[in-house]
Amino acid sequence: MEFLPTLWFVIIAYLWTGYLLLEGFDLGVGMLMKLFARTDRDRRVLLNTVGPVWDGNEVWLITAGAATFAAFPLWYASLFSTLYLPLLLVLMGLIFRAVGFEYRGKGDTEAWRNRWDWAIALGSLVSAFGIGAALALTTTGLPINANGDREGGAFAWFNGYAVLGGSAVVLFSLVHALGFLVLKTDGDIRNRARRQFLRWLPLGLLPMAGWAIVVHATGGKTVTLLTLVIAVVGAVYAWSMARRRRDGWSFVGMAVFLAAGTTTIFTAAFPVVLPSTLDAAFDLTVSNASSSGYTLGVMSVVALVGLPAVLVYQGWTYWVFRKRVSRSQIPTAHAVRAQ
């Protein structure tokens, strides 16, 4: 197996892991705007926990897609053309969600805020489900032929694996967001978030664990069994630390669960980047779907410089906005007249 295609498969896998870890909690916070927050002030607390970082978290999605396009153009072309409809819905969900973040505070009526609260909540739900479905299908298979083209109609992609992956990301995001709120808020919101986190963590992580087990069962290796065990240990650790009110370590446990789970999924799928459900001979692999060695070499040099800089900058952003948010810090809503 060639080194550079393998390296870029690993990089793309961990770009998706970073996206699910960081964007996961703010997608979950978006959904909790309607599922958890009781008052307008509660919703403003939730918005303020992710306000400084949500748009930076979406950079991971853009980078993962761009890296796939540059490093594995055939993988990108087959995946995005076959999943054109669900990915279009993801794009619309992200747009409505972003507009909701920006526009919610621009009006001073309950109807105005409620409208954008629903835009944020539903946009987050649709985006999380669509991303999860796409990632599940790229590891379990799509009906592509020898040319990488889709066979069947517009909904040929929709199957049980799509539902499993979509549900996995939605429920993980919700539980992850509750753990994040325990870490980032204070007072009643924090206490309620901890209770809900402890209550829903086992159920919320079950679909993602099921996805990892399915992929491991079809193409697993010795190392993926180990990472699967680590994922379970991470989930138990997160729950245990939350009970002891060790919020930071609980968040670390969730990160371990996710990283070990995605490692299981992508390692079990390797070297296939997109299986064909029509014929295994049509599978796209790191070898037959990759760009030239020269292209991958140039990308590696750029990534060697760019990725550390992005990681440092984003880490600094989280450090600057590390303080907890509480209701007492949220001023009463009021209209502002243009001067």
Side-chain angles (χ1 to χ4, degrees), residues 46-57:
L46 266 59
L47 285 175
N48 276 271
T49 63
V50 298
V53 298
W54 70 268
D55 47 355
N57 293 342

Side-chain angles (χ1 to χ4, degrees), residues 86 264 331:
T264 301

Side-chain angles (χ1 to χ4, degrees), residues 51-94:
V53 298
W54 70 268
D55 47 355
N57 293 342
E58 289 188 351
V59 171
W60 289 79
L61 173 63
I62 298 169
T63 307
T68 304
F69 171 76
F72 299 99
L74 294 181
W75 179 13
Y76 179 92
S78 294
L79 182 67
F80 278 65
S81 61
T82 304
L83 299 180
Y84 184 87
L85 181 59
L87 292 178
L88 178 62
L89 293 175
V90 168
L91 180 60
M92 292 176 63
L94 291 173

